[in-house]
């Protein structure tokens, strides 16, 4: 789903209704700089990574990242509009000024910090293995005996699987996005999937009747997601960090988090 269409709408729901308003823009908010109120910030994401970002039946973006960004826009008194596009096009879009910021479950890494700036972390994750019913995978080492292990190309799960099996291992099956990866897993084409803990946990929760299990990947650091902006864009970075501080302090972050991740 390589859509090139900007998805934008007026964000008019209250803070208590953020969970039901994913995919909308924000044009109101609590005390913030008037300098931001007339600018529309273009937010790019790959909306194929539920529950952080996905498309609803009307092709509107939705998910934890969308609700969080809407809350930040309200707190910071700025407007946003969203663009869903392929994962591998996100970073070039930011560098080329086709987007002003990225919020798409982007892991903060030292390598990425060389070419872009990140806000303070907003979500912590680890890497885990999603195992279908009937597969004898109890540890990361068991992946070495698997026939095919699925990952999303360029995601952290790809790096984790490469660390275990080798970057050029024929056992690693790389997919363009998470929906294609999950489809192949469900059809029996894969022995396991390596991905982010929150994503795998959400999938197991919503497919409890299928007998999937989750195995931790040891020796892989706990990581954090951050919102990316262009290198040196201090004004936007400070605006986002201040808004993030506000939504944590006023309880909005916890409300949004609990909508998606409380069992």
């Amino acid at each position: 789903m390589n859509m090139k269409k900007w998805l934008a709408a007026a964000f008019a729901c209250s803070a208590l209704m953020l969970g039901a308003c994913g995919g909308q823009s924000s044009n109101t908010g609590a005390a913030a700089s008037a300098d931001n109120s007339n600018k529309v910030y273009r937010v790019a994401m790959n909306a194929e990574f539920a529950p952080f970002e996905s498309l609803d039946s009307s092709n509107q973006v939705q998910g934890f990242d969308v609700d969080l960004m809407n809350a930040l826009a309200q707190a910071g008194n700025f407007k946003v509009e969203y663009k869903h596009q392929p994962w591998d096009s996100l970073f070039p879009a930011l560098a080329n000024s086709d987007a002003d910021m990225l919020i798409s479950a982007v892991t903060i890494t030292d390598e990425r910090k060389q070419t872009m700036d990140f806000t303070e972390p907003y979500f912590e994750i680890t890497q885990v293995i999603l195992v279908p019913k009937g597969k004898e995978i109890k540890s990361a080492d068991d992946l070495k005996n698997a026939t095919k292990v699925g990952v999303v190309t360029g995601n952290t799960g790809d790096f984790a699987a490469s660390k275990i099996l080798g970057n050029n291992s024929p056992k690693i099956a790389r997919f363009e996005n998470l929906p294609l990866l999950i489809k192949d897993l469900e059809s029996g084409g894969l022995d396991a999937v390596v991905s982010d803990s929150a994503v795998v946990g959400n999938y197991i929760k919503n497919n409890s009747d299928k007998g999937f299990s989750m195995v931790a990947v040891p020796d892989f650091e706990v990581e954090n997601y951050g919102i990316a902006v262009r290198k040196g864009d201090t004004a936007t970075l400070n605006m986002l960090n201040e808004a993030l501080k506000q939504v944590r302090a006023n309880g909005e972050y916890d409300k949004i988090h609990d909508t998606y991740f409380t069992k």
Side-chain angles (χ1 to χ4, degrees):
M1 291 186 283
N2 295 341
M3 299 173 59
K4 298 297 182 182
K5 179 181 178 182
W6 284 98
L7 305 173
F11 175 62
C13 50
S14 69
L16 292 177
M17 295 176 63
L18 281 171
C21 298
Q24 295 181 326
S25 299
S26 174
N27 58 9
T28 62
S33 170
D35 292 339
N36 299 327
S37 61
N38 292 320
K39 180 172 180 178
V40 178
Y41 291 87
R42 299 162 300 167
V43 183
M45 60 173 52
N46 175 234
E48 297 170 320
F49 203 64
F52 290 95
E53 42 269 324
S54 60
L55 297 176
D56 65 15
S57 59
S58 300
N59 280 336
Q60 297 293 305
V61 292
Q62 62 179 0
F64 176 83
D65 282 351
V66 178
D67 287 359
L68 177 60
M69 179 57 74
N70 286 339
L72 297 181
Q74 184 175 21
N77 193 28
F78 59 89
K79 301 183 182 78
V80 294
E81 60 183 16
Y82 297 99
K83 185 181 182 182
H84 160 57
Q85 58 189 75
W87 169 263
D88 60 5
S89 73
L90 292 179
F91 303 120
L94 183 66
N96 296 333
S97 298
D98 291 329
D100 299 306
M101 57 186 76
L102 310 177
I103 185 167
S104 192
V106 180
T107 301
I108 302 170
T109 68
D110 289 338
E111 181 180 359
R112 287 171 179 164
K113 284 180 179 179
Q114 300 302 309
T115 57
M116 64 195 76
D117 289 331
F118 284 95
T119 61
E120 293 297 316
Y122 71 84
F123 203 93
E124 182 180 283
I125 58 97
T126 60
Q127 291 303 301
V128 297
I129 305 166
L130 175 62
V131 183
K133 184 178 181 180
K135 298 295 182 180
E136 295 299 320
I137 296 175
K138 307 294 184 183
S139 69
D141 279 343
D142 289 340
L143 292 180
K144 297 174 182 177
N145 299 319
T147 301
K148 287 293 179 182
V149 177
V151 300
V152 175
T153 302
N155 279 11
T156 312
D158 188 355
F159 305 143
S162 296
K163 183 177 180 180
I164 297 166
L165 300 173
N167 186 57
N168 297 318
S169 172
K171 293 179 181 291
I172 299 177
R174 294 180 170 89
F175 292 80
E176 180 182 353
N177 56 59
L178 187 67
L180 291 175
L181 172 61
I182 293 299
K183 182 178 180 180
D184 205 48
L185 177 72
E186 291 179 337
S187 67
L190 299 171
D191 297 313
V193 161
V194 182
S195 190
D196 294 6
S197 52
V199 172
V200 170
N202 178 73
Y203 177 78
I204 291 175
K205 177 183 176 181
N206 293 325
N207 295 273
S208 57
D209 60 325
K210 295 183 179 180
F212 284 92
S213 59
M214 183 166 60
V215 177
V217 177
D219 303 323
F220 216 82
E221 297 179 358
V222 171
E223 299 167 311
N224 290 281
Y225 294 157
I227 303 169
V229 302
R230 272 184 298 282
K231 193 72 176 176
D233 188 358
T234 306
T236 301
L237 189 67
N238 291 343
M239 177 188 72
L240 289 171
N241 276 330
E242 178 58 31
L244 183 59
K245 181 179 178 181
Q246 288 186 46
V247 299
R248 287 191 182 279
N250 66 21
E252 279 305 310
Y253 180 93
D254 290 337
K255 291 177 184 177
I256 298 169
H257 182 280
D258 291 351
T259 298
Y260 291 93
F261 301 107
T262 294
K263 295 182 179 180

